[in-house]
Amino acid sequence: MGYNVAIDGPAGAGKSTIAKLVAKEKGYIYVDTGAMYRGLAIHFLKKGINPEDTQAVADACEDADVSIGYEDGVQQVYLNGENITSGLRTEEVGNMASKTSAIPKVREKLLELQRSLAREKDVIMDGRDIGTNILPDADVKIYLTASVETRAMRRYNELKEKGEDCSLEEIARDIRERDERDMNRKTAPLKQADDAILIDSSNMTIPEVVARICSCCR
Ligand code: DC
């Protein structure tokens, strides 16, 4: 069994930024499970599947093979053998992933892939149900959150920096909707595990959050 650190929390809390930095400092492999849901979402989008059609989504899982690899330490996602990493981070794919990740068949499909990575390697794995469901015996569990306003502002600044036109209100509304879906679904909803350490990063810098998490790890 590898040494396992689980980081869960809502969209935009900074989990991937923080987890990558902790991974670097501690020599763990960073596993981004959201990217796996996004990979399946691309499959559903390619097939023109309506995310509300649970049966169609479940059927489409049958001919999707999602796997993970690493290039220069950076996680790559393969869908039926094709590297689709560069297409993962659009709003369209994120929304499809948020909707379809509520469907049990979709979660089942990715569960073993996530557990097997944690068995083999020292990992820091981020997602929504890692500490509660995927790795209930993780060595360290973190629940990383921040206020909706802070998360929206961070995303707004990120998009502005890329030169994209966006509205702060729309981003905040999108974050609220995603929280609502992720926290209230029946299967593996986002919630803090009883034994997770809560970190609210609203008023913390990135190095402060990284240092706090590193201090909890061996
Ligand atoms: O972290 P992210 O935005 O890349 O995740 C995309 C969607 O995938 C998110 O809305 C919820 C879902 N997800 C999940 O249900 N369980 C996980 N462990 C990771 C992500």
Side-chain angles (χ1 to χ4, degrees):
M1 193 76 187
Y3 187 77
N4 294 168
V5 180
I7 300 199
D8 293 300
K15 297 185 297 297
S16 68
T17 305
I18 300 290
K20 275 181 207 158
L21 291 166
V22 174
K24 209 169 190 181
E25 184 149 339
K26 292 283 183 180
Y28 307 147
I29 287 175
Y30 167 54
V31 181
D32 172 0
T33 63
M36 301 176 190
Y37 288 94
R38 287 171 183 264
L40 273 183
I42 289 184
H43 179 68
F44 304 138
L45 284 166
K46 273 188 182 167
K47 294 190 114 183
I49 285 171
N50 174 359
E52 319 299 335
D53 187 344
T54 307
Q55 190 58 49
V57 172
D59 290 346
C61 285
E62 299 295 334
D63 60 348
D65 177 49
V66 174
S67 58
I68 296 296
Y70 288 86
E71 277 176 21
D72 298 328
V74 180
Q75 178 179 297
Q76 307 290 316
V77 180
Y78 302 89
L79 172 65
N80 294 333
E82 185 192 346
N83 188 336
I84 48 150
T85 313
S86 63
L88 293 175
R89 303 229 53 96
T90 68
E91 290 303 302
E92 187 190 24
V93 171
N95 280 324
M96 183 58 124
S98 174
K99 288 178 184 158
T100 52
S101 60
I103 298 169
K105 192 76 196 277
V106 170
R107 308 203 70 79
E108 241 169 65
K109 179 103 194 157
L110 299 174
L111 183 130
E112 191 42 41
L113 172 61
Q114 294 167 8
R115 285 197 179 145
S116 64
L117 287 164
R119 261 198 303 274
E120 289 157 16
K121 307 251 164 51
D122 293 344
V123 297
I124 179 162
M125 186 176 286
D126 90 14
R128 303 294 189 286
D129 64 337
I130 310 304
T132 50
N133 188 43
I134 301 294
L135 306 175
D137 298 324
D139 298 278
V140 177
K141 294 182 190 177
I142 306 289
Y143 190 84
L144 182 65
T145 189
S147 67
V148 170
E149 293 70 27
T150 307
R151 289 186 278 142
M153 187 51 92
R154 286 178 187 159
R155 180 83 185 127
Y156 177 82
N157 289 336
E158 212 176 273
L159 290 171
K160 278 272 160 191
E161 240 167 63
K162 282 192 207 159
E164 285 179 36
D165 196 25
C166 53
S167 126
L168 185 58
E169 268 113 82
E170 264 176 41
I171 294 173
R173 197 188 55 218
D174 201 58
I175 285 181
R176 279 196 191 89
E177 279 175 15
R178 203 172 286 196
D179 283 359
E180 169 73 23
R181 271 201 300 269
D182 292 351
M183 291 174 182
N184 294 306
R185 66 183 178 216
K186 280 208 188 81
T187 312
L190 167 65
K191 67 172 184 197
Q192 186 183 342
D194 293 338
D195 51 350
I197 298 157
L198 173 67
I199 301 178
D200 183 333
S201 72
S202 302
N203 296 306
M204 291 171 81
T205 63
I206 292 172
E208 280 170 350
V209 179
V210 172
R212 170 91 176 87
I213 295 177
C214 285
S215 73
C216 302
C217 301
R218 78 172 178 202

